[in-house]
């Protein structure tokens, strides 16, 4: 039978079994290495009421604390809720994340702007 992915959709390597975790949408138990995890940072207060609270605060430079969540999704829930997209056969072979691509593009833009400001420096 043909293989769809070279890692069989898991990050298990040489381990026999992996601890199971709960999906936050479906409550389904899934292996931790197969789960899609996203780290979410949010303000405690929504943006609509943030201005009112800052005006009522007695401290001038007080920053409100943030909430930190690690959301774990099953593959089915992640695709259904558009956290992860289905990729083509060639797209599945690419192992770079989109975040890495965007940071590389930003560093290239910064380097080119620095070269424009300093023409005597070729690199």
């Amino acid at each position: 039978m043909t293989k769809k992915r070279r890692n069989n959709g898991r990050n298990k390597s040489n381990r026999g079994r992996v601890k199971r975790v709960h999906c936050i949408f479906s409550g389904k138990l899934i292996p931790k290495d197969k789960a899609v995890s996203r780290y979410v940072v949010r303000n405690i207060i929504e943006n609509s009421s943030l201005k009112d609270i800052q005006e009522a605060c007695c401290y001038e430079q007080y920053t409100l604390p943030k909430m930190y969540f690690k959301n774990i999704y099953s593959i089915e829930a992640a695709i259904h809720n558009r956290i992860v997209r289905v990729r083509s056969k060639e797209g599945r072979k690419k192992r770079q994340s989109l975040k890495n691509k965007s940071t590389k593009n930003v560093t290239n833009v910064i380097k080119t702007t620095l070269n424009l400001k300093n023409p005597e420096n070729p690199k």
Side-chain angles (χ1 to χ4, degrees), residues 72-90:
I72 298 172
Y73 309 99
S74 63
I75 296 294
E76 301 89 38
I79 291 171
H80 180 74
N81 292 299
R82 297 187 183 122
I83 294 156
V84 177
R85 300 284 176 148
V86 177
R87 293 187 291 174
S88 65
K89 200 169 190 178
E90 293 81 27

Side-chain angles (χ1 to χ4, degrees), residues 103-116:
T103 55
K104 285 180 184 176
N105 291 340
V106 169
T107 54
N108 288 338
V109 169
I110 291 171
K111 286 178 184 176
T112 55
T113 54
L114 288 175
N115 287 342
L116 292 175

Side-chain angles (χ1 to χ4, degrees), residues 10 17 20 24 52-54 69 71 73 90 95 100 102 112 117 123:
R10 299 184 70 166
R17 288 187 65 171
R20 293 183 174 260
I24 64 164
D52 298 333
I53 291 174
Q54 285 179 342
F69 296 108
N71 294 339
Y73 309 99
E90 293 81 27
R95 297 174 62 84
N100 291 342
S102 63
T112 55
K117 289 180 183 176
K123 265 194 171 182

Side-chain angles (χ1 to χ4, degrees), residues 11-72:
N11 191 18
K12 189 169 64 94
S13 299
N14 205 13
R15 289 178 287 253
R17 288 187 65 171
V18 181
K19 186 178 94 172
R20 293 183 174 260
V21 292
H22 286 277
C23 170
I24 64 164
F25 280 122
S26 62
K28 184 178 183 179
L29 275 172
I30 44 171
K32 187 177 179 184
D33 61 339
K34 195 171 190 171
V36 176
S37 55
R38 295 288 183 262
Y39 198 67
V40 179
V41 181
R42 288 189 182 150
N43 288 326
I44 287 181
I45 298 153
E46 300 86 34
N47 289 334
S48 59
S49 59
L50 184 65
K51 188 176 178 183
D52 298 333
I53 291 174
Q54 285 179 342
E55 288 173 359
C57 185
C58 59
Y59 299 109
E60 291 178 15
Q61 295 297 322
Y62 182 71
T63 55
L64 289 168
K66 295 183 182 288
M67 293 188 297
Y68 300 93
F69 296 108
K70 186 173 185 183
N71 294 339
I72 298 172

Side-chain angles (χ1 to χ4, degrees), residues 4 87-96 101:
K4 195 170 186 182
R87 293 187 291 174
S88 65
K89 200 169 190 178
E90 293 81 27
R92 279 184 232 133
K93 293 179 183 178
K94 295 177 184 172
R95 297 174 62 84
Q96 276 187 348
K101 284 184 182 177

